[in-house]
Amino acid sequence: MPDTRRAKRSSVTSVQHGTEMAHALEETHHGDHCLSPQQLEALYCTSIKDGLSEGKAAELLQLHGPNALKDLHGTSYWKIFRHNFFGWFQCVLWAGAILNFIAFGTADLIDSGHGGGHNKYEYLYLGIVITVTIIGTGTFGFYVEAQNVATMSGFENLIPPNATVVRDGVIKIIPNSNIVIGDIVEMKAGETVPADVRILSCTNFSTDMSSMTGESKPVVHRTEFTNVNPLESKNMAFFTCPIVEGSARAMVVDTGENTQIGKIAGIVTGLEKVETPIAKEITRFIKIICIVAFGFGIIFFIMVYLAQRNWLSALQYMLGIILANVPEGLIVTLTVCMTLSAKQLKKKNCLAKSLQAVETLGSTSVICSDKTGTLTENRMSVSHLFCNFHIYEKTDHTHVSDPTYSELCLDASLNLRAQFAHETRMLPIAKRKIIGDASECAILRYMEDARSATQTQRENPKVAEIPFSSAWKYQVTIHRLLEVPGHPRQAYFILIMKGAPEIILERCAEIATDDGRVPLTVQLKRDLKVNFIKLANMGERVIGYCDTLLPMSQYPPDYIFDTEQRNFPLENLTFIGAISMIDPPREDIDLYINICRQAGIRVVMVTGDHPVTALAISRKCGTITQPTAYDYAFDHHIEVADVPPHVRKLFTAAVITGDDLRKMGESELKNTLTRYEEITFARTSPQQKLMIVEAFQMLKYCVAVTGDGVNDSPALKKADIGIAMGITGTEVSKKAADMILLDDNFSSIVLGVQEGRRIFDNLKKTIAYTLTSNTPEMLPFVLYAILGIPLPLTLMLILVINVGTDLLPAISLAYETSEEDIMSIPPRKLSDHLVNKYLLYMAYFQIGLIQFFAGIFSYFIVFAESGFFPSTLFFIRNNWEQKDGTVEDTLGRVWHFDDRKKIEKRAQTAYFVACCWAQIADVIICKTRRISLLKKGMTNHVLNASIVVDLLAAVIVTYVPGCNIVFGTESLPAHHFFLSLPFCLLMIVFDELRRYIIRNNLSDWVSTELYY
């Protein structure tokens, strides 16, 4: 029957693909929400208690396919193609190619009679070479980006969402995609609804349906049918909706493309992502370069045309300026840089959802970190039990028969949501897998060993519960008590509450002792708190327990408990005791915190734990190393509130509680963040975590936030970079975050920061290297136009440099390791640009000019050895390019056109080779921005290989006969090939001296003006 139903629905929805959202939502109103649970069982051939059988589920999965939506996210291949073939740079090159083809077609018409010594076929060849350049770099860029999209998809598959289902009467965790119609699923806060489901039972269950209805207020669900429209009925929840609060059991009624969200293709794609800062920087840089290139090109075109009245000559100038300014291979280089960085981060257990977001992590100046699982190992284990005003070691079992000890163990065994995974139930207790949060896992494992908790739960079944919420900070369960033969029944039900000890104490009127119940006085509360602080001082998390037996007269056996109306007592309970647990700090966490401190990054712990526990863990982790007001209070045996204000001002470290935050205004919070060097926030709510993030951002910090719960989502979204936990993180937090830690380890964040800084450094190095060659490529055309010398560098050779010899060295810089001191300098400000005036100054007017001088020196040497001294070459251009004319050299010898053109080609080749050598020196000095080359070494084997390829390319272009014809070069004598080496040495020495001065702070001017 479900098969027929599914087929009908599929046919309906497929017809309406692409319609308006409202129409899509209204078109298939079926009646699952109107049916009773028994009718649903019959309809879907399932069991509300035991679920589907594995065989039936496999059959349905085969029939209907996986529970997944079509992947409409990400970048389409057409978009990648358009970006690589018709981006800003590419459009400039296409314009150049088209102009060359136009020049070839109209040369005879427009420039007849002007001569000029240029063959019109040169323009055809150049147009073809430019076109091949665009297609070559575009194809390579398309391939790399397409691979990158596939890589990111693969990364996302590393963290597939799971769902909890009941099959064959056993609770199992399966991939969300394996859910089928008729499955019984269990859901809780922090997850997303795994399919379209009909709710069978729920406790304070609410979901965020804003993606479907536009209504931001969470929908509170019930089990009853409330509206004919399934979207309005409270007993339906829908695929992908985040679960805000509570828990529920439900039956799957639709999966995959047939869910309500699956019918709305437009919603699945979500919103377009906002461009990240680094993406904006790259776009800004590209636009600047293109505007400058076209601007100068047009100016030169007009100047030359007015001076020479030669259309083709003016066009040659313009193309020369444009091609010299446009780094044709830069887009490919940047794409490769980002892809390599993503793969490096994956190796370090950081999953970057956006490649550019990694660079933002490198700019981080404060990290607001969770405690559990991030700074600690997330391996909670019971350490102590407290009852009858005594603290017992977990290994002390001599008191198990004492009344309060026994009652504490009963309460701890029953008030649990965690449970052993079915497939591991037969293993030893220590090796069993547990489904639940870390604290409950620790209690269940201990109580199973000490009291056989699972058997206790079967004997005293749970009839109602209020799950833990950050709003009220407690968890309540109600159990039907086991009737003990020979003992008169005192009650049918017991209500057990657990939570933060101070919260539990406020709901208690008496305390259990071995001598019976006694009233809970102010003095007894104070004594209890002293014991809690003792445990907290050991870095242990304390959970308090209280209970009450519900009177038989008011709560008969058939009493129905309503957790929404709360028709049972939550006040005047009896305090039983507490259990403390320890979650040890991660190995070497203090080392990584110290690395952050050296890097100028503040690490702030934000936790819901007791302030004393938070302080103890902070000291072990190293986030707080200095005395606080709490230490003063402990030493002087007074309350923290009683520490005098003038004493508080002496401390540079503080523990700020949620209560303290409630009393602070915005300005006071900012003053607190500024005044204290080390801060830990304790007993904070998710809203307060968001407030802390906003305060840091107002102080111009770049904020990274870690989180794992649904309530962390606002802070994760608000942060400059949100970091979710891959193991313990909820699906909602993962979706809100920019990055996911696959191992939940703080050290991975530190490695990510280092990688982010490395990315920014390497991008700067790549751009500096790429731009440097613009000066020696552009100035020959300036000299050609102004001084009238024979052209030192042809357009064809400019393309060979930009796309041939420069491309591999530029890409190789992406493989460069971090500089030694990268984590000992302050984080960069968000206002710092990737391309700033200092980088442009270095590239164009320092290193670029040295490269130009190397090239022009080689050029003049070749001419001088042939008899043309530099003074003879000035303003010789018009005569030089006349085919029928002759030219005298400095020695008075006469040169015909073919002979002097041969010398010109040799000089151009020497200039080209000089540029190749200079760019080799340039890529070597670009390896590092601060530390010495001697210390950095030549360990980047990709860069070393690129140098060899660069030299081979120069040799092939210079000496291979076929290349001489294609690229217009001439073979050089051996000594001409090495003319530029002194200039290369000058570049390396100059840059080494610059770095030495910057490292040692010998000159503020050099540090400011020459550090890019």
Side-chain angles (χ1 to χ4, degrees), residues 254-284:
D254 260 324
T255 59
E257 292 297 311
N258 291 288
T259 58
Q260 292 290 347
I261 201 78
K263 296 166 188 169
I264 313 162
I267 289 186
V268 183
T269 57
L271 298 173
E272 284 289 323
K273 275 193 171 288
V274 177
E275 225 180 1
T276 58
I278 193 70
K280 289 178 182 176
E281 285 292 312
I282 292 170
T283 303
R284 169 181 170 271

PDB file of all heavy atoms in Angstrom, residues 254-284:
ATOM      1  N   ASP A 254       6.962  10.633   4.447  1.00  0.00           N
ATOM      2  CA  ASP A 254       7.485  11.002   3.128  1.00  0.00           C
ATOM      3  C   ASP A 254       8.995  11.169   3.223  1.00  0.00           C
ATOM      4  O   ASP A 254       9.509  11.623   4.255  1.00  0.00           O
ATOM      5  CB  ASP A 254       6.854  12.307   2.612  1.00  0.00           C
ATOM      6  CG  ASP A 254       5.742  12.041   1.612  1.00  0.00           C
ATOM      7  OD1 ASP A 254       5.880  11.088   0.828  1.00  0.00           O
ATOM      8  OD2 ASP A 254       4.738  12.776   1.631  1.00  0.00           O
ATOM      9  N   THR A 255       9.688  10.827   2.157  1.00  0.00           N
ATOM     10  CA  THR A 255      11.149  10.958   2.151  1.00  0.00           C
ATOM     11  C   THR A 255      11.616  11.620   0.865  1.00  0.00           C
ATOM     12  O   THR A 255      10.892  11.667  -0.135  1.00  0.00           O
ATOM     13  CB  THR A 255      11.831   9.574   2.261  1.00  0.00           C
ATOM     14  OG1 THR A 255      11.411   8.764   1.148  1.00  0.00           O
ATOM     15  CG2 THR A 255      11.490   8.887   3.563  1.00  0.00           C
ATOM     16  N   GLY A 256      12.846  12.145   0.909  1.00  0.00           N
ATOM     17  CA  GLY A 256      13.523  12.651  -0.278  1.00  0.00           C
ATOM     18  C   GLY A 256      12.759  13.709  -1.040  1.00  0.00           C
ATOM     19  O   GLY A 256      12.214  14.657  -0.479  1.00  0.00           O
ATOM     20  N   GLU A 257      12.696  13.531  -2.341  1.00  0.00           N
ATOM     21  CA  GLU A 257      12.068  14.516  -3.223  1.00  0.00           C
ATOM     22  C   GLU A 257      10.566  14.647  -2.997  1.00  0.00           C
ATOM     23  O   GLU A 257       9.955  15.623  -3.439  1.00  0.00           O
ATOM     24  CB  GLU A 257      12.327  14.140  -4.690  1.00  0.00           C
ATOM     25  CG  GLU A 257      13.773  14.269  -5.127  1.00  0.00           C
ATOM     26  CD  GLU A 257      14.272  15.696  -5.060  1.00  0.00           C
ATOM     27  OE1 GLU A 257      13.595  16.593  -5.576  1.00  0.00           O
ATOM     28  OE2 GLU A 257      15.338  15.913  -4.461  1.00  0.00           O
ATOM     29  N   ASN A 258       9.962  13.687  -2.330  1.00  0.00           N
ATOM     30  CA  ASN A 258       8.519  13.739  -2.113  1.00  0.00           C
ATOM     31  C   ASN A 258       8.137  14.426  -0.806  1.00  0.00           C
ATOM     32  O   ASN A 258       6.967  14.528  -0.476  1.00  0.00           O
ATOM     33  CB  ASN A 258       7.927  12.331  -2.140  1.00  0.00           C
ATOM     34  CG  ASN A 258       7.976  11.741  -3.544  1.00  0.00           C
ATOM     35  OD1 ASN A 258       7.239  12.151  -4.421  1.00  0.00           O
ATOM     36  ND2 ASN A 258       8.892  10.813  -3.760  1.00  0.00           N
ATOM     37  N   THR A 259       9.120  14.888  -0.047  1.00  0.00           N
ATOM     38  CA  THR A 259       8.816  15.676   1.145  1.00  0.00           C
ATOM     39  C   THR A 259       8.352  17.059   0.715  1.00  0.00           C
ATOM     40  O   THR A 259       8.525  17.471  -0.438  1.00  0.00           O
ATOM     41  CB  THR A 259      10.061  15.811   2.030  1.00  0.00           C
ATOM     42  OG1 THR A 259      11.104  16.431   1.266  1.00  0.00           O
ATOM     43  CG2 THR A 259      10.543  14.452   2.525  1.00  0.00           C
ATOM     44  N   GLN A 260       7.773  17.795   1.658  1.00  0.00           N
ATOM     45  CA  GLN A 260       7.297  19.134   1.321  1.00  0.00           C
ATOM     46  C   GLN A 260       8.451  20.022   0.853  1.00  0.00           C
ATOM     47  O   GLN A 260       8.310  20.766  -0.105  1.00  0.00           O
ATOM     48  CB  GLN A 260       6.619  19.770   2.553  1.00  0.00           C
ATOM     49  CG  GLN A 260       5.310  19.102   2.956  1.00  0.00           C
ATOM     50  CD  GLN A 260       4.202  19.358   1.957  1.00  0.00           C
ATOM     51  OE1 GLN A 260       4.308  20.214   1.080  1.00  0.00           O
ATOM     52  NE2 GLN A 260       3.114  18.604   2.062  1.00  0.00           N
ATOM     53  N   ILE A 261       9.589  19.912   1.516  1.00  0.00           N
ATOM     54  CA  ILE A 261      10.734  20.742   1.126  1.00  0.00           C
ATOM     55  C   ILE A 261      11.282  20.289  -0.219  1.00  0.00           C
ATOM     56  O   ILE A 261      11.806  21.078  -0.994  1.00  0.00           O
ATOM     57  CB  ILE A 261      11.837  20.703   2.204  1.00  0.00           C
ATOM     58  CG1 ILE A 261      12.774  21.914   2.081  1.00  0.00           C
ATOM     59  CG2 ILE A 261      12.634  19.427   2.178  1.00  0.00           C
ATOM     60  CD1 ILE A 261      12.226  23.175   2.622  1.00  0.00           C
ATOM     61  N   GLY A 262      11.145  18.992  -0.523  1.00  0.00           N
ATOM     62  CA  GLY A 262      11.625  18.471  -1.797  1.00  0.00           C
ATOM     63  C   GLY A 262      10.817  18.963  -2.974  1.00  0.00           C
ATOM     64  O   GLY A 262      11.288  18.945  -4.109  1.00  0.00           O
ATOM     65  N   LYS A 263       9.585  19.395  -2.712  1.00  0.00           N
ATOM     66  CA  LYS A 263       8.725  19.875  -3.794  1.00  0.00           C
ATOM     67  C   LYS A 263       9.022  21.323  -4.167  1.00  0.00           C
ATOM     68  O   LYS A 263       8.490  21.841  -5.126  1.00  0.00           O
ATOM     69  CB  LYS A 263       7.263  19.747  -3.381  1.00  0.00           C
ATOM     70  CG  LYS A 263       6.825  18.305  -3.171  1.00  0.00           C
ATOM     71  CD  LYS A 263       5.503  18.252  -2.455  1.00  0.00           C
ATOM     72  CE  LYS A 263       5.169  16.811  -2.061  1.00  0.00           C
ATOM     73  NZ  LYS A 263       4.034  16.726  -1.151  1.00  0.00           N
ATOM     74  N   ILE A 264       9.842  21.965  -3.362  1.00  0.00           N
ATOM     75  CA  ILE A 264      10.130  23.374  -3.620  1.00  0.00           C
ATOM     76  C   ILE A 264      11.597  23.500  -3.993  1.00  0.00           C
ATOM     77  O   ILE A 264      12.455  23.680  -3.151  1.00  0.00           O
ATOM     78  CB  ILE A 264       9.824  24.242  -2.384  1.00  0.00           C
ATOM     79  CG1 ILE A 264       8.462  23.877  -1.819  1.00  0.00           C
ATOM     80  CG2 ILE A 264       9.866  25.709  -2.734  1.00  0.00           C
ATOM     81  CD1 ILE A 264       8.262  24.348  -0.422  1.00  0.00           C
ATOM     82  N   ALA A 265      11.904  23.363  -5.254  1.00  0.00           N
ATOM     83  CA  ALA A 265      13.307  23.358  -5.694  1.00  0.00           C
ATOM     84  C   ALA A 265      14.021  24.650  -5.313  1.00  0.00           C
ATOM     85  O   ALA A 265      15.200  24.649  -4.997  1.00  0.00           O
ATOM     86  CB  ALA A 265      13.371  23.159  -7.206  1.00  0.00           C
ATOM     87  N   GLY A 266      13.315  25.746  -5.330  1.00  0.00           N
ATOM     88  CA  GLY A 266      13.934  27.036  -5.025  1.00  0.00           C
ATOM     89  C   GLY A 266      14.424  27.147  -3.613  1.00  0.00           C
ATOM     90  O   GLY A 266      15.418  27.821  -3.339  1.00  0.00           O
ATOM     91  N   ILE A 267      13.719  26.480  -2.672  1.00  0.00           N
ATOM     92  CA  ILE A 267      14.116  26.592  -1.268  1.00  0.00           C
ATOM     93  C   ILE A 267      15.384  25.803  -1.005  1.00  0.00           C
ATOM     94  O   ILE A 267      16.224  26.204  -0.217  1.00  0.00           O
ATOM     95  CB  ILE A 267      12.978  26.101  -0.354  1.00  0.00           C
ATOM     96  CG1 ILE A 267      11.841  27.102  -0.378  1.00  0.00           C
ATOM     97  CG2 ILE A 267      13.453  25.914   1.077  1.00  0.00           C
ATOM     98  CD1 ILE A 267      10.736  26.803   0.575  1.00  0.00           C
ATOM     99  N   VAL A 268      15.531  24.669  -1.690  1.00  0.00           N
ATOM    100  CA  VAL A 268      16.660  23.790  -1.412  1.00  0.00           C
ATOM    101  C   VAL A 268      17.982  24.493  -1.648  1.00  0.00           C
ATOM    102  O   VAL A 268      18.955  24.281  -0.939  1.00  0.00           O
ATOM    103  CB  VAL A 268      16.570  22.522  -2.283  1.00  0.00           C
ATOM    104  CG1 VAL A 268      17.688  21.561  -1.978  1.00  0.00           C
ATOM    105  CG2 VAL A 268      15.227  21.851  -2.091  1.00  0.00           C
ATOM    106  N   THR A 269      18.024  25.373  -2.661  1.00  0.00           N
ATOM    107  CA  THR A 269      19.275  26.041  -2.977  1.00  0.00           C
ATOM    108  C   THR A 269      19.676  27.021  -1.897  1.00  0.00           C
ATOM    109  O   THR A 269      20.845  27.348  -1.768  1.00  0.00           O
ATOM    110  CB  THR A 269      19.155  26.808  -4.305  1.00  0.00           C
ATOM    111  OG1 THR A 269      18.073  27.725  -4.200  1.00  0.00           O
ATOM    112  CG2 THR A 269      18.910  25.842  -5.429  1.00  0.00           C
ATOM    113  N   GLY A 270      18.743  27.550  -1.121  1.00  0.00           N
ATOM    114  CA  GLY A 270      19.083  28.516  -0.071  1.00  0.00           C
ATOM    115  C   GLY A 270      19.486  29.844  -0.667  1.00  0.00           C
ATOM    116  O   GLY A 270      19.300  30.134  -1.847  1.00  0.00           O
ATOM    117  N   LEU A 271      20.053  30.672   0.168  1.00  0.00           N
ATOM    118  CA  LEU A 271      20.477  32.003  -0.244  1.00  0.00           C
ATOM    119  C   LEU A 271      21.882  31.957  -0.817  1.00  0.00           C
ATOM    120  O   LEU A 271      22.691  31.130  -0.453  1.00  0.00           O
ATOM    121  CB  LEU A 271      20.435  32.960   0.957  1.00  0.00           C
ATOM    122  CG  LEU A 271      19.064  33.176   1.583  1.00  0.00           C
ATOM    123  CD1 LEU A 271      19.214  34.009   2.843  1.00  0.00           C
ATOM    124  CD2 LEU A 271      18.128  33.860   0.606  1.00  0.00           C
ATOM    125  N   GLU A 272      22.166  32.907  -1.709  1.00  0.00           N
ATOM    126  CA  GLU A 272      23.533  33.031  -2.210  1.00  0.00           C
ATOM    127  C   GLU A 272      24.451  33.452  -1.074  1.00  0.00           C
ATOM    128  O   GLU A 272      24.100  34.313  -0.278  1.00  0.00           O
ATOM    129  CB  GLU A 272      23.585  34.099  -3.325  1.00  0.00           C
ATOM    130  CG  GLU A 272      23.031  33.629  -4.641  1.00  0.00           C
ATOM    131  CD  GLU A 272      23.930  32.614  -5.317  1.00  0.00           C
ATOM    132  OE1 GLU A 272      25.162  32.750  -5.233  1.00  0.00           O
ATOM    133  OE2 GLU A 272      23.395  31.673  -5.911  1.00  0.00           O
ATOM    134  N   LYS A 273      25.611  32.877  -1.033  1.00  0.00           N
ATOM    135  CA  LYS A 273      26.548  33.224   0.025  1.00  0.00           C
ATOM    136  C   LYS A 273      27.102  34.617  -0.202  1.00  0.00           C
ATOM    137  O   LYS A 273      27.383  35.014  -1.322  1.00  0.00           O
ATOM    138  CB  LYS A 273      27.711  32.224   0.065  1.00  0.00           C
ATOM    139  CG  LYS A 273      27.380  30.997   0.883  1.00  0.00           C
ATOM    140  CD  LYS A 273      28.636  30.210   1.155  1.00  0.00           C
ATOM    141  CE  LYS A 273      28.384  29.098   2.144  1.00  0.00           C
ATOM    142  NZ  LYS A 273      28.179  29.578   3.496  1.00  0.00           N
ATOM    143  N   VAL A 274      27.280  35.361   0.895  1.00  0.00           N
ATOM    144  CA  VAL A 274      27.899  36.667   0.818  1.00  0.00           C
ATOM    145  C   VAL A 274      29.382  36.469   0.552  1.00  0.00           C
ATOM    146  O   VAL A 274      30.016  35.570   1.095  1.00  0.00           O
ATOM    147  CB  VAL A 274      27.687  37.439   2.146  1.00  0.00           C
ATOM    148  CG1 VAL A 274      28.406  38.774   2.100  1.00  0.00           C
ATOM    149  CG2 VAL A 274      26.204  37.632   2.400  1.00  0.00           C
ATOM    150  N   GLU A 275      29.944  37.322  -0.308  1.00  0.00           N
ATOM    151  CA  GLU A 275      31.355  37.198  -0.650  1.00  0.00           C
ATOM    152  C   GLU A 275      32.212  37.404   0.588  1.00  0.00           C
ATOM    153  O   GLU A 275      31.993  38.334   1.363  1.00  0.00           O
ATOM    154  CB  GLU A 275      31.719  38.242  -1.711  1.00  0.00           C
ATOM    155  CG  GLU A 275      32.546  37.685  -2.816  1.00  0.00           C
ATOM    156  CD  GLU A 275      32.902  38.742  -3.857  1.00  0.00           C
ATOM    157  OE1 GLU A 275      32.521  39.895  -3.694  1.00  0.00           O
ATOM    158  OE2 GLU A 275      33.572  38.380  -4.830  1.00  0.00           O
ATOM    159  N   THR A 276      33.187  36.542   0.763  1.00  0.00           N
ATOM    160  CA  THR A 276      34.066  36.653   1.928  1.00  0.00           C
ATOM    161  C   THR A 276      35.062  37.786   1.703  1.00  0.00           C
ATOM    162  O   THR A 276      35.293  38.224   0.572  1.00  0.00           O
ATOM    163  CB  THR A 276      34.841  35.347   2.133  1.00  0.00           C
ATOM    164  OG1 THR A 276      35.583  35.072   0.951  1.00  0.00           O
ATOM    165  CG2 THR A 276      33.911  34.195   2.441  1.00  0.00           C
ATOM    166  N   PRO A 277      35.698  38.277   2.801  1.00  0.00           N
ATOM    167  CA  PRO A 277      36.653  39.377   2.658  1.00  0.00           C
ATOM    168  C   PRO A 277      37.767  39.090   1.658  1.00  0.00           C
ATOM    169  O   PRO A 277      38.106  39.951   0.852  1.00  0.00           O
ATOM    170  CB  PRO A 277      37.216  39.517   4.079  1.00  0.00           C
ATOM    171  CG  PRO A 277      36.120  39.045   4.971  1.00  0.00           C
ATOM    172  CD  PRO A 277      35.451  37.940   4.214  1.00  0.00           C
ATOM    173  N   ILE A 278      38.309  37.875   1.673  1.00  0.00           N
ATOM    174  CA  ILE A 278      39.423  37.584   0.765  1.00  0.00           C
ATOM    175  C   ILE A 278      38.946  37.543  -0.684  1.00  0.00           C
ATOM    176  O   ILE A 278      39.659  37.972  -1.597  1.00  0.00           O
ATOM    177  CB  ILE A 278      40.122  36.256   1.152  1.00  0.00           C
ATOM    178  CG1 ILE A 278      41.467  36.107   0.437  1.00  0.00           C
ATOM    179  CG2 ILE A 278      39.246  35.064   0.880  1.00  0.00           C
ATOM    180  CD1 ILE A 278      42.517  37.048   0.909  1.00  0.00           C
ATOM    181  N   ALA A 279      37.706  37.051  -0.900  1.00  0.00           N
ATOM    182  CA  ALA A 279      37.155  37.037  -2.261  1.00  0.00           C
ATOM    183  C   ALA A 279      36.953  38.459  -2.766  1.00  0.00           C
ATOM    184  O   ALA A 279      37.217  38.779  -3.930  1.00  0.00           O
ATOM    185  CB  ALA A 279      35.833  36.271  -2.282  1.00  0.00           C
ATOM    186  N   LYS A 280      36.480  39.337  -1.871  1.00  0.00           N
ATOM    187  CA  LYS A 280      36.309  40.755  -2.230  1.00  0.00           C
ATOM    188  C   LYS A 280      37.658  41.385  -2.563  1.00  0.00           C
ATOM    189  O   LYS A 280      37.771  42.192  -3.489  1.00  0.00           O
ATOM    190  CB  LYS A 280      35.641  41.509  -1.080  1.00  0.00           C
ATOM    191  CG  LYS A 280      34.173  41.160  -0.886  1.00  0.00           C
ATOM    192  CD  LYS A 280      33.598  41.909   0.292  1.00  0.00           C
ATOM    193  CE  LYS A 280      32.132  41.522   0.524  1.00  0.00           C
ATOM    194  NZ  LYS A 280      31.576  42.174   1.729  1.00  0.00           N
ATOM    195  N   GLU A 281      38.686  41.014  -1.786  1.00  0.00           N
ATOM    196  CA  GLU A 281      40.021  41.560  -2.022  1.00  0.00           C
ATOM    197  C   GLU A 281      40.531  41.160  -3.402  1.00  0.00           C
ATOM    198  O   GLU A 281      41.080  41.987  -4.134  1.00  0.00           O
ATOM    199  CB  GLU A 281      40.986  41.042  -0.950  1.00  0.00           C
ATOM    200  CG  GLU A 281      40.830  41.684   0.412  1.00  0.00           C
ATOM    201  CD  GLU A 281      41.245  43.134   0.396  1.00  0.00           C
ATOM    202  OE1 GLU A 281      42.321  43.452  -0.136  1.00  0.00           O
ATOM    203  OE2 GLU A 281      40.465  43.971   0.874  1.00  0.00           O
ATOM    204  N   ILE A 282      40.326  39.899  -3.764  1.00  0.00           N
ATOM    205  CA  ILE A 282      40.809  39.415  -5.060  1.00  0.00           C
ATOM    206  C   ILE A 282      40.049  40.109  -6.194  1.00  0.00           C
ATOM    207  O   ILE A 282      40.643  40.545  -7.184  1.00  0.00           O
ATOM    208  CB  ILE A 282      40.668  37.884  -5.143  1.00  0.00           C
ATOM    209  CG1 ILE A 282      41.642  37.214  -4.150  1.00  0.00           C
ATOM    210  CG2 ILE A 282      40.924  37.382  -6.557  1.00  0.00           C
ATOM    211  CD1 ILE A 282      41.428  35.727  -3.980  1.00  0.00           C
ATOM    212  N   THR A 283      38.724  40.227  -6.030  1.00  0.00           N
ATOM    213  CA  THR A 283      37.915  40.911  -7.043  1.00  0.00           C
ATOM    214  C   THR A 283      38.348  42.362  -7.189  1.00  0.00           C
ATOM    215  O   THR A 283      38.467  42.881  -8.309  1.00  0.00           O
ATOM    216  CB  THR A 283      36.422  40.842  -6.660  1.00  0.00           C
ATOM    217  OG1 THR A 283      36.041  39.474  -6.501  1.00  0.00           O
ATOM    218  CG2 THR A 283      35.557  41.489  -7.728  1.00  0.00           C
ATOM    219  N   ARG A 284      38.575  43.010  -6.063  1.00  0.00           N
ATOM    220  CA  ARG A 284      39.021  44.418  -6.068  1.00  0.00           C
ATOM    221  C   ARG A 284      40.349  44.553  -6.810  1.00  0.00           C
ATOM    222  O   ARG A 284      40.531  45.451  -7.648  1.00  0.00           O
ATOM    223  CB  ARG A 284      39.153  44.910  -4.630  1.00  0.00           C
ATOM    224  CG  ARG A 284      39.854  46.247  -4.439  1.00  0.00           C
ATOM    225  CD  ARG A 284      39.933  46.599  -2.960  1.00  0.00           C
ATOM    226  NE  ARG A 284      40.794  47.726  -2.733  1.00  0.00           N
ATOM    227  CZ  ARG A 284      42.101  47.650  -2.520  1.00  0.00           C
ATOM    228  NH1 ARG A 284      42.683  46.464  -2.524  1.00  0.00           N
ATOM    229  NH2 ARG A 284      42.824  48.726  -2.318  1.00  0.00           N
TER     230      ARG A 284
END
